[in-house]
Amino acid sequence: MAKKQLEVLNALDVAKTQWYHFTAIVIAGMGFFTDAYDLFCISLVTKLLGRLYYTVEGADKPGSLPPNVAAAVNGVAFCGTLTGQLFFGWLGDRLGRKKVYGMTLMMMVICSIASGLSLGSQPKAVMATLCFFRFWLGFGIGGDYPLSATIMSEYANKKTRGAFIAAVFAMQGFGILAGGMVAIIMSAAFKAAYPAPAYEVNAAASVPAASDYVWRLIVMFGALPAALTYYWRMKMPETARYTALVEKNAKQAAANMSKVLQVDIEAEPEAEPERKNVNQFGLFSKEFLRRHGLHLLGTTSTWFLLDIAFYSQNLFQKDIFSAIGWIPAAKTMNALEEVYRIARAQTLIALCSTVPGYWFTVIFIDRIGRFAIQIMGFTMMTIFMFALAIPYDHWTHPDNRIGFVAMYSLTFFFANFGPNATTFVVPAEIFPARLRSTCHGISSAAGKAGAIVGAFGFLYAAQSKDPKKTEAGYPAGMGVRNALLVLGCVNALGVMFTLLVPESNGKSLEEMSKENEVEDENENGEMGDPATTVPV
């Protein structure tokens, strides 16, 4: 049976939206702003890195990163993120959210700066140090996923909890947008200060020496927003749900929340001694498998499938735009012009589809629910992917390229007004407090495993079938058309696995996790079978 909800938790569930809620969104959200900026800005400068360090004298085309180097530069941060999600997710449940929260932000600040200071005069040295620091940058970013989601879910009221968590995640859109804008400003400023001819006119002069500063400044800028919010993160109190349910200190939880929510909350005595709380099972127990096993499978599989499509699209927009002719051939531009063109195209996509998609989720998630948004998002992504892939030759004609970009943008819109947001929200709501951060870390790590598949797999898959048309060092691939077909099938699988994910809209966290279940003693003083206990 259920026991009475602790007063402090009930007060959180019914609390009116207050200034502190918005403060928490900004504090947690700036971490995600930095996360997105750091993860996606690398795709803006990989072409420049290829020109700077891998141009072959006398070659017809500008230099590009060798396949193994490109895969490492694009994917190493995801490897670090996956590791960080698992480690900091577990640590957040062991030590508390607050104690771990500052560590992740400081790692992001230090490693963002260090990435831009990658040392060496030889390409191997620069790429090795860049990859080293980007791995640890990803490790810090990984910790931000479970901690930010868990902290926001545990602070929020049940009426607007989905919107608050989604708003934190929506800062990722502004991070992607900021990455493009910083790259545009940097490349335009250096292009004006250091004019250079196109590669086909003068290959050596097409890459000004000052170009080396451009990619470093773009990469390092990510440290700034994270550093600005560090002090405020350290001032946040531990969440009431962790303090009351994991540390078993309801009095301290009430005191902490009374300060930040500006209401008087009286701490209640502990539960009656004749009743035993049955919600003490561990992550690897049969009871967890019975109650939450399918839920964890649902959250991990949908995030895995989503990120295969989402990150392959984001990281390789420049390749798709080049393939349809939206960005001119590399040899017709100098190095800084290419950075400018790529950044402008990706910023346009972010502004018109990525950012609006996130905020549509914020507006509607507590109205129509997580399940409906996720099903709709995966379905629409599937439709648009197939609509792009099946008549792909049609879209490559000059008169139809704008239509291609419009439909490609819609896949981003429905990714963000869909599973990219809901896969982040739901794991923070449906698991018990003492396992919440761990389970969110596992779910998000599965997502990053999908991102690695997308980042490494799509890099090769999207290469032309004609070996003569592939980028230097790459084997022939399946082509953009077939790669888009594969991504469409991946999204269709996401629809199916969404059926395993429960709807948490309008319910308290304890209601979803059965946190307050107890067993009653029978006539002989023994604990009876909790007949009322059912899977969430």
Side-chain angles (χ1 to χ4, degrees):
M1 64 176 290
K3 64 181 179 182
K4 184 182 177 182
Q5 175 87 313
L6 288 172
E7 182 63 30
V8 63
L9 304 186
N10 185 61
L12 285 170
D13 281 337
V14 300
K16 293 181 179 179
T17 300
Q18 300 179 29
W19 181 249
Y20 187 76
H21 287 125
F22 294 107
T23 303
I25 288 172
V26 172
I27 294 170
M30 287 311 292
F32 264 88
F33 178 98
T34 304
D35 296 349
Y37 182 96
D38 287 333
L39 286 177
F40 292 114
C41 72
I42 197 67
S43 67
L44 299 169
V45 299
T46 49
K47 296 279 190 181
L48 177 58
L49 290 172
R51 286 185 183 240
L52 280 167
Y53 298 109
Y54 292 94
T55 292
V56 177
E57 188 175 349
D60 292 335
K61 295 189 294 185
S64 61
L65 296 179
N68 60 327
V69 176
V73 169
N74 283 308
V76 71
F78 294 135
C79 296
T81 303
L82 187 155
T83 310
Q85 286 164 334
L86 293 173
F87 177 73
F88 285 113
W90 168 79
L91 201 63
D93 283 332
R94 294 280 294 183
L95 301 182
R97 292 53 161 135
K98 174 183 168 62
K99 291 179 181 176
V100 183
Y101 210 27
M103 300 180 198
T104 61
L105 201 66
M106 191 48 60
M107 284 194 71
M108 284 161 22
V109 171
I110 293 171
C111 292
S112 289
I113 295 172
S115 295
L117 298 177
S118 296
L119 305 175
S121 57
Q122 298 299 314
K124 285 186 178 180
V126 176
M127 294 301 117
T129 51
L130 176 61
C131 288
F132 174 81
F133 288 121
R134 281 191 64 78
F135 175 86
W136 291 108
L137 171 65
F139 190 72
I141 289 172
D144 224 48
Y145 275 74
L147 292 170
S148 289
T150 299
I151 285 171
M152 201 65 241
S153 73
E154 293 180 347
Y155 271 130
N157 60 57
K158 63 182 180 181
K159 184 178 179 181
T160 57
R161 184 179 63 238
F164 287 167
I165 305 173
V168 170
F169 194 64
M171 295 298 286
Q172 190 178 74
F174 289 124
I176 295 171
L177 184 62
M181 293 175 68
V182 169
I184 287 172
I185 293 168
M186 292 291 182
S187 58
F190 276 78
K191 187 171 64 168
Y194 303 96
Y199 181 86
E200 62 185 359
V201 175
N202 187 331
S206 70
V207 187
S211 300
D212 194 53
Y213 293 111
V214 173
W215 75 266
R216 295 177 186 274
L217 290 171
I218 292 171
V219 169
M220 291 170 69
F221 184 84
L224 184 60
L228 292 175
T229 54
Y230 180 78
Y231 171 78
W232 298 108
R233 276 202 181 188
M234 294 298 92
K235 295 285 287 183
M236 293 178 78
E238 183 58 82
T239 69
R241 284 187 159 90
Y242 185 85
T243 306
L245 298 173
V246 181
E247 294 182 337
K248 306 297 183 186
N249 191 343
K251 184 177 180 180
Q252 184 62 48
N256 288 344
M257 291 304 101
S258 293
K259 293 176 183 177
V260 298
L261 294 178
Q262 299 175 349
V263 293
D264 292 327
I265 304 173
E266 293 184 6
E268 292 183 342
E270 298 298 323
E272 298 90 336
E274 68 272 13
R275 290 180 178 177
K276 176 184 176 183
N277 193 318
V278 299
N279 198 30
Q280 298 299 320
F281 50 83
L283 179 64
F284 299 104
S285 66
K286 290 182 180 179
E287 187 65 17
F288 178 88
L289 181 65
R290 186 176 73 86
R291 293 194 186 195
H292 299 293
L294 286 178
H295 299 160
L296 189 58
L297 175 62
T299 57
T300 53
S301 59
T302 52
W303 209 334
F304 173 79
L305 294 167
L306 177 275
D307 274 7
I308 291 176
F310 184 77
Y311 278 89
S312 61
Q313 284 177 267
N314 255 309
L315 287 170
F316 304 105
Q317 283 181 43
K318 60 185 184 301
D319 300 309
I320 291 174
F321 291 150
S322 295
I324 65 167
W326 217 47
I327 295 176
K331 66 181 181 180
T332 65
M333 300 179 285
N334 63 45
L336 295 174
E337 176 69 19
E338 188 174 33
V339 174
Y340 178 84
R341 295 266 191 156
I342 292 169
R344 188 177 64 176
Q346 295 195 181
T347 301
L348 182 63
I349 293 291
L351 191 61
C352 296
S353 62
T354 305
V355 173
Y358 281 114
W359 290 97
F360 264 72
T361 300
V362 174
I363 293 168
F364 289 106
I365 192 167
D366 289 315
R367 300 183 184 185
I368 63 177
R370 290 76 163 139
F371 182 83
I373 289 177
Q374 187 159 312
I375 284 283
M376 174 196 67
F378 269 128
T379 301
M380 297 305 293
M381 288 173 70
T382 303
I383 292 170
F384 283 116
M385 282 292 185
F386 286 140
L388 288 171
I390 293 171
Y392 181 72
D393 290 339
H394 167 80
W395 297 117
T396 58
H397 296 156
D399 293 341
N400 302 323
R401 287 169 182 169
I402 297 300
F404 179 95
V405 173
M407 293 188 70
Y408 186 69
S409 298
L410 284 170
T411 65
F412 278 104
F413 176 81
F414 283 105
N416 295 309
F417 182 33
N420 193 40
T422 54
T423 52
F424 177 79
V425 172
V426 174
E429 299 182 307
I430 63 176
F431 299 108
R434 71 189 179 284
L435 300 173
R436 186 169 293 136
S437 180
T438 301
C439 290
H440 196 285
I442 293 171
S443 301
S444 54
K448 281 300 167 286
I452 292 169
V453 172
F456 285 79
F458 197 84
L459 191 66
Y460 289 86
Q463 295 296 318
S464 173
K465 294 180 181 179
D466 184 352
K468 296 179 181 178
K469 294 182 180 179
T470 62
E471 292 187 38
Y474 286 88
M478 64 173 65
V480 174
R481 178 182 182 273
N482 290 332
L484 289 172
L485 283 172
V486 171
L487 295 180
C489 294
V490 167
N491 291 324
L493 285 174
V495 176
M496 297 171 56
F497 280 97
T498 296
L499 300 176
L500 300 176
V501 180
E503 178 58 76
S504 52
N505 189 29
K507 299 177 182 178
S508 73
L509 298 180
E510 289 68 45
E511 186 180 355
M512 288 303 301
S513 64
K514 304 297 185 201
E515 205 91 34
N516 290 327
E517 280 190 349
V518 293
E519 288 178 322
D520 284 327
E521 292 184 5
N522 60 25
E523 294 178 357
N524 298 322
E526 298 173 345
M527 293 296 171
D529 183 34
T532 59
T533 302
V534 294
V536 177

